[in-house]
Amino acid sequence: MVLGVFVALGVWQVQRKAWKEALIARVEARVHAAPVALPPDAKLGPEVEYLRVGLSGVYDGAATALVRAATERGTGYWTMTPLRLDDGRLVWINRGFVPAGTTAAQAGATAPKGTVSVVGLLRLPEPRGSILQSNQPQADRWYSRDVAALAQKRGLGPVTPAFVDAQQEQAAQPSASALKPVPGLTQVRFPNSHLSYALTWFSMAALSLVALIFVWQRA
């Protein structure tokens, strides 16, 4: 029975490996594809995460929030600003990284006026907080991009249940602020240790088989 369990677990990990590799290939294709329109809210789920989208609208710079970030540029914040789309939907845009010490007001002042065109990667919300720290809405301290909580704190009403990591931003009226959020820092990484897990389970199965043969011979 134990031998069968180990074999089954090994086979399961082989299947998971194939699924993960297909997922990685699909995401890699998405992040370099031509941008498409933002899907309807009802269709925003895991199957469209990292989809490259293009959208346009008007920023609400005053509603900007800062979310803690650790990047290749060091520690600082993601600049989260809501964008009112042409179709009326409100979408949070991660406009990019700003260094530690930046205030929400300073980051909000970098938002262009008028109509803005954004190309970026569609991401799913990060509710409640990070693994190590919970969001503190009362203190306006954010450790994850929980779009519903951000919208509630800013009194924005319903928002699209996703956000966009900006890669490119074009505006007819760019901000004159010297501070510029740095976009395009999305980390697309999927751990893929299923092969080592599968080998571990198959090794356990082999050892169990050896032990079973030894016991049978002794008997």
Side-chain angles (χ1 to χ4, degrees), residues 85-155:
L85 304 187
D86 299 336
D87 64 8
R89 286 188 288 175
L90 195 62
V91 182
W92 283 98
I93 307 296
N94 173 14
R95 298 185 56 236
F97 175 82
V98 291
T102 304
T103 67
Q106 290 171 334
T110 69
K113 304 296 182 182
T115 302
V116 180
S117 296
V118 176
V119 172
L121 300 179
L122 187 63
R123 303 292 308 278
L124 296 183
E126 301 164 342
R128 292 177 290 279
S130 68
I131 295 176
L132 299 178
Q133 291 180 291
S134 299
N135 291 327
Q136 301 176 29
Q138 299 81 0
D140 205 28
R141 293 178 182 171
W142 305 94
Y143 301 95
S144 74
R145 291 162 289 194
D146 185 341
V147 296
L150 287 168
Q152 183 177 20
K153 176 63 177 179
R154 294 296 188 266

Side-chain angles (χ1 to χ4, degrees), residues 24-104:
I24 292 171
R26 186 165 64 249
V27 169
E28 285 293 329
R30 285 178 182 172
V31 299
H32 300 296
V36 299
L38 181 70
D41 287 1
K43 294 186 177 181
L44 296 177
E47 64 279 1
V48 296
E49 188 165 22
Y50 296 104
L51 185 69
R52 195 161 185 250
V53 297
L55 54 169
S56 65
V58 178
Y59 279 128
D60 183 357
T64 295
L66 298 179
V67 178
R68 290 288 179 89
T71 74
E72 61 194 40
R73 289 176 171 263
T75 58
Y77 305 98
W78 297 125
T79 302
M80 299 292 292
T81 303
L83 181 73
R84 179 67 68 180
L85 304 187
D86 299 336
D87 64 8
R89 286 188 288 175
L90 195 62
V91 182
W92 283 98
I93 307 296
N94 173 14
R95 298 185 56 236
F97 175 82
V98 291
T102 304
T103 67

